[in-house]
């Protein structure tokens, strides 16, 4: 960093010094031309002086005049060169001083900006480490608890009245795992993507919908660029929400394609009537219909929040509108790959 500041300072100094040198050279050239002209005219023996009768004497006078003119011109050139050097060195000194004064505040701003970037980088590194550590520290105990519950309640002699307790504990354990997984995914999508690859949303949707055999799909090619795992998670979350928050009709439709504004995934389902004013709140974390923020076996309330976060980190959008006849239509658009 110090070498860069010194380099800039030297460049400014050279610029200032060069300007002084050029100005001095121009002035010396003008001075040389003017003085030479004046000297030549003032001491020219043919400029109105009477001609001596002795031709030898005339030649001697002309030789002496020419010598005097040469000495005057040589003196002018010598002093001009010395003056040019002195002015140039003075220009370099002035340029060095001016550059230091000009770059002083900029150096302070640069140092402050570098320090801020270093703190931000440390903060992002800390966040990434926290997410990785939290993923391990939170998931492992839950997995152990689930295994212990399954082993403990696998005994055939287990009283029938404890089986509902077993089912309730396993369901609660599963919900906590989904909640932690959702929070970790949400935290990961808050940062900029580092790895992008060409993907087809249709292929990702086809893979994600394997676990939902009753879903109707119309999957046209939808090229995009991004993180395949996160984009597949978008389809999974949308299909999962559409299945969970359905009514007796139980219909879910998934469609993919591309257009002038990018590739898209559209998921719609039948379900209860949803007021348009409630739709924006569904994308907020832990928000469900009817402002329900309490625990629910159906989900953690992070599905659409993750969908919107993944869409944003891919420079896309996620929007929803109530479906005519009940239900919801969610559209995710991702810029197509070039």
């Amino acid at each position: 960093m110090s070498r860069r500041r010194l380099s800039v300072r030297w460049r400014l100094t050279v610029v200032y010094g060069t300007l002084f040198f050029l100005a001095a050279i121009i002035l010396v050239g003008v001075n040389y031309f003017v003085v030479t002209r004046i000297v030549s005219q003032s001491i020219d023996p043919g400029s109105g002086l009477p001609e001596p009768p002795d031709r030898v004497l005339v030649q001697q006078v002309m030789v002496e005049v020419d010598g005097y003119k040469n000495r005057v011109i040589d003196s002018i050139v010598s002093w001009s060169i010395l003056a040019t050097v002195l002015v140039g060195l003075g220009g370099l000194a002035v340029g060095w001083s001016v550059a230091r004064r000009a770059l002083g505040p900029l150096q302070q701003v640069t140092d402050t900006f570098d320090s801020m970037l270093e703190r931000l980088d440390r903060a992002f590194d800390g966040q990434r480490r926290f997410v990785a550590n939290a993923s391990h520290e939170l998931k492992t105990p839950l997995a152990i608890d689930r295994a212990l519950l399954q082993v403990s309640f696998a005994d055939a002699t287990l009283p029938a009245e404890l089986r509902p307790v077993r089912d309730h504990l396993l369901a609660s354990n599963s919900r906590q795992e989904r909640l932690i997984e959702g929070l970790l995914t949400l935290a990961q999508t808050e940062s900029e993507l580092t790895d992008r690859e060409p993907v087809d949303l249709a292929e990702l949707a086809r893979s994600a919908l394997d676990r939902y055999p009753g879903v109707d799909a119309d999957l046209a090619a939808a090229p995009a660029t991004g993180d395949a795992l996160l984009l597949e998670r978008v389809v999974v979350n949308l299909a999962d929400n559409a299945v969970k928050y359905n009514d007796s009709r139980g219909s879910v439709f998934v469609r993919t394609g591309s257009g002038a504004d990018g590739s898209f995934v559209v998921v719609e389902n039948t379900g209860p009537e949803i007021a348009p004013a409630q739709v924006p709140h569904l994308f907020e974390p832990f928000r469900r219909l009817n402002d329900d923020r309490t625990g629910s076996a159906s989900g953690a309330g992070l599905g659409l929040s993750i969908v919107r976060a993944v869409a944003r980190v891919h420079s896309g959008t996620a929007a929803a509108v109530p479906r005519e006849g009940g239900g919801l239509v969610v559209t995710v658009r991702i810029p197509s790959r070039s």
Side-chain angles (χ1 to χ4, degrees), residues 162-311:
L162 291 181
R163 292 176 183 174
V165 177
R166 175 197 61 186
D167 296 338
H168 178 73
L169 290 176
L170 288 176
S172 177
N173 180 272
S174 177
R175 179 183 177 278
Q176 291 176 18
E177 287 183 333
R178 292 197 304 270
L179 173 62
I180 291 172
E181 183 68 27
L183 288 173
L184 293 176
T185 303
L186 193 61
Q188 290 172 346
T189 55
E190 291 299 324
S191 58
E192 186 68 24
L193 286 179
T194 55
D195 297 324
R196 294 177 180 265
E197 58 181 346
V199 296
D200 189 344
L201 298 182
E203 294 298 327
L204 298 180
R206 190 172 291 110
S207 174
L209 294 178
D210 286 342
R211 67 190 75 180
Y212 304 102
V215 173
D216 295 328
D218 178 15
L219 305 179
T225 302
D227 189 302
L229 292 177
L230 289 179
L231 291 174
E232 184 178 358
R233 182 64 181 268
V234 166
V235 182
V236 170
N237 282 12
L238 291 177
D240 193 56
N241 274 12
V243 171
K244 288 177 180 177
Y245 300 102
N246 215 310
D247 57 13
S248 58
R249 291 172 288 179
S251 297
V252 177
F253 311 93
V254 178
R255 184 165 53 93
T256 63
S258 62
D261 52 355
S263 298
F264 60 84
V265 178
V266 178
V267 178
E268 59 180 296
N269 70 326
T270 54
E273 293 281 349
I274 301 176
Q278 286 184 303
V279 173
H281 301 296
L282 297 178
F283 287 94
E284 298 177 8
F286 305 107
R287 292 297 292 266
R288 303 177 183 86
L289 291 177
N290 302 319
D291 293 329
D292 178 19
R293 286 181 176 267
T294 60
S296 171
S298 61
L302 291 172
L304 292 181
S305 300
I306 293 174
V307 168
R308 181 177 62 179
V310 172

Side-chain angles (χ1 to χ4, degrees), residues 8-9 12 16 95-107:
V8 173
R9 186 175 181 182
L12 288 177
Y16 291 140
W96 181 262
S97 177
V98 172
R100 183 186 64 181
R101 291 179 177 273
L103 293 176
L106 181 60
Q107 291 172 4

Side-chain angles (χ1 to χ4, degrees), residues 79-155:
W79 283 104
S80 298
I81 294 175
L82 178 61
T84 301
V85 172
L86 293 177
V87 170
L89 293 177
L92 290 175
V94 172
W96 181 262
S97 177
V98 172
R100 183 186 64 181
R101 291 179 177 273
L103 293 176
L106 181 60
Q107 291 172 4
Q108 295 178 356
V109 172
T110 302
D111 291 339
T112 303
F113 188 72
D114 288 342
S115 300
M116 181 186 68
L117 291 180
E118 290 176 1
R119 290 196 297 269
L120 288 175
D121 188 58
R122 288 195 298 268
F124 288 140
D125 287 339
Q127 183 184 23
R128 286 190 289 267
R129 287 193 300 269
F130 170 77
V131 170
N133 293 334
S135 176
H136 174 75
E137 295 296 333
L138 296 177
K139 287 182 178 180
T140 301
L142 290 176
I144 294 174
D145 291 344
R146 184 178 66 253
L148 291 175
L149 287 172
Q150 292 172 341
V151 170
S152 300
F153 287 108
D155 190 353

